[in-house]
């Protein structure tokens, strides 16, 4: 059973200590092999016994607290390397994304901590009723707007605040907005309207960053469903519940896994 760790540690992306405890859970440890910035770099996760686990399948989504979920962070804010849980590799380590044989970097730093919700899956064979788009075949993304830079591999409890329904090349790619429970802002933020009131410009900043970030590669602007509005906490929690059910069907063999690695 995962237990909350003590005071949070700080670590930049390129200097993550091998075998450090994953933030948030004292029974999950991170280990790395390969050098950051190379195709061989991997961050792997192990339980208390030293057994390698999947951060996608083995870290629980729900915490037992209303509106509070576990999130795994792949990309610290103010960094550019596009790191992600490798959904097609055994045990799903974190690796740098590769496109056309080249390591992928954002063209400018991302201004929020970016990660994913474990035990979720956006089903590419299910069409969303409102947007008429299918899922992107990945876990649900989370954008954490707190004050601290969270190191790669951090596992944190977050308060869900709302979500944007991004549409990327015809696929829906939810961007859930959240704040780390331990962040000072968490006491003031309870729903999406609080974000607009207490952190003016953050929602529009997230929307525009994700709208434009692929254009330097010649890709079109991303669009957003629901008239580009940030949807509230209730809607975001419904999205997460639906994608959690989709993940359960995936791992139960009720959905075509394609090239995804499952336990």
């Amino acid at each position: 059973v995962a237990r909350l760790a003590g005071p949070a540690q700080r670590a930049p992306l390129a200097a993550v200590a091998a075998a450090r405890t994953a933030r948030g859970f004292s029974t999950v440890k991170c280990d790395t092999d390969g050098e950051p910035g190379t195709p061989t770099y991997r961050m792997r996760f192990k339980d208390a016994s030293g057994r390698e686990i999947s951060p996608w399948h083995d870290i629980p989504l729900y915490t037992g607290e209303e509106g509070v979920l576990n999130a795994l962070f792949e990309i610290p804010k103010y960094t550019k390397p596009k790191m992600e849980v490798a959904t097609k590799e055994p045990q799903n380590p974190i690796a740098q994304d590769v496109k056309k044989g080249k390591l992928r970097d954002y063209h400018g730093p991302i201004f929020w901590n970016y990660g994913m919700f474990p035990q979720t899956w956006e089903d590419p064979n299910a069409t969303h009723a409102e947007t008429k788009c299918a899922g992107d075949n990945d876990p649900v993304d989370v954008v954490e707007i707190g004050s601290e830079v969270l190191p790669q591999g951090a596992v944190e409890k977050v308060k869900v605040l709302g979500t944007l329904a991004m549409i990327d090349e015809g696929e829906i790619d939810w961007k859930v907005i959240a704040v780390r429970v331990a962040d000072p802002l968490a006491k003031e933020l309870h729903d999406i309207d609080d974000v607009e009131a207490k952190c003016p410009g953050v929602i529009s900043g997230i929307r525009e960053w994700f709208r434009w970030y692929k254009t330097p590669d010649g890709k079109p602007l991303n669009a957003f469903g629901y008239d580009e509005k940030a949807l509230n906490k209730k809607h975001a929690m419904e999205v997460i519940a639906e994608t959690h059910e989709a993940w359960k069907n995936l791992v139960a063999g009720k959905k075509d896994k394609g090239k995804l690695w499952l336990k």
Side-chain angles (χ1 to χ4, degrees), residues 60-73 116-118 120 140-146 156-164 174-183 185-195 203 206 230-241 243:
L61 171 63
Y62 290 104
T63 66
E65 300 175 54
E66 179 65 28
V68 175
L69 303 174
N70 289 318
L72 169 71
F73 290 95
M116 52 83 84
F117 285 112
T120 63
V140 174
D141 297 321
V142 56
V143 183
E144 196 276 335
I145 63 172
E156 294 282 356
K157 286 184 174 183
V158 300
K159 287 177 70 174
V160 172
L161 303 171
T163 190
L164 291 164
W174 295 99
K175 304 299 180 188
V176 173
I177 300 168
V179 64
R180 186 171 65 106
V181 167
D183 194 278
L185 271 174
K187 295 179 181 179
E188 302 182 52
L189 303 179
H190 308 288
D191 212 319
I192 201 66
D193 290 342
D194 298 323
V195 179
I203 295 172
I206 293 169
L231 306 172
N232 64 16
K233 174 182 177 177
K234 180 177 182 292
H235 200 132
M237 292 299 293
E238 290 171 354
V239 166
I240 292 164
T243 55

Side-chain angles (χ1 to χ4, degrees), residues 1 8 11 16 37-38 48 82 93 105 122 124 133 141-143 146 157 179 184 189 193 196 198 236 239-240 253 256:
V1 177
V16 178
T38 70
K82 179 65 173 73
D105 288 274
E122 298 192 48
C133 297
D141 297 321
V142 56
V143 183
K157 286 184 174 183
V179 64
L189 303 179
D193 290 342
E196 195 62 60
K198 304 287 186 180
V239 166
I240 292 164
D256 179 13

Side-chain angles (χ1 to χ4, degrees), residues 63-127:
T63 66
E65 300 175 54
E66 179 65 28
V68 175
L69 303 174
N70 289 318
L72 169 71
F73 290 95
E74 302 148 311
I75 305 175
K77 66 179 175 179
Y78 309 133
T79 64
K80 296 196 298 182
K82 179 65 173 73
M83 312 302 294
E84 61 183 20
V85 166
T87 57
K88 297 173 184 176
E89 291 187 21
Q91 301 296 349
N92 311 124
I94 292 177
Q96 189 166 355
D97 190 23
V98 176
K99 292 290 185 185
K100 297 180 179 178
K102 295 183 179 180
L103 292 171
R104 184 178 170 198
D105 288 274
Y106 293 134
H107 291 275
I110 190 168
F111 301 112
W112 310 274
N113 297 299
Y114 191 53
M116 52 83 84
F117 285 112
Q119 299 184 341
T120 63
W121 179 57
E122 298 192 48
D123 186 348
N125 296 308
T127 301

Side-chain angles (χ1 to χ4, degrees), residues 121-123 241-251 255:
W121 179 57
E122 298 192 48
D123 186 348
E242 290 171 3
T243 55
H244 181 56
E245 287 301 312
W247 170 82
K248 288 197 291 186
N249 287 331
L250 175 69
V251 297
K255 295 284 186 175

Side-chain angles (χ1 to χ4, degrees), residues 44-59:
R44 305 184 189 279
F45 295 79
K46 296 180 180 180
D47 64 15
S49 70
R51 179 181 65 92
E52 187 172 1
I53 63 171
S54 162
W56 182 19
H57 302 304
D58 291 323
I59 294 174

Side-chain angles (χ1 to χ4, degrees), residues 137-154:
N137 202 33
D138 280 326
V140 174
D141 297 321
V142 56
V143 183
E144 196 276 335
I145 63 172
S147 57
E148 187 175 346
V149 176
L150 302 180
Q152 182 190 111

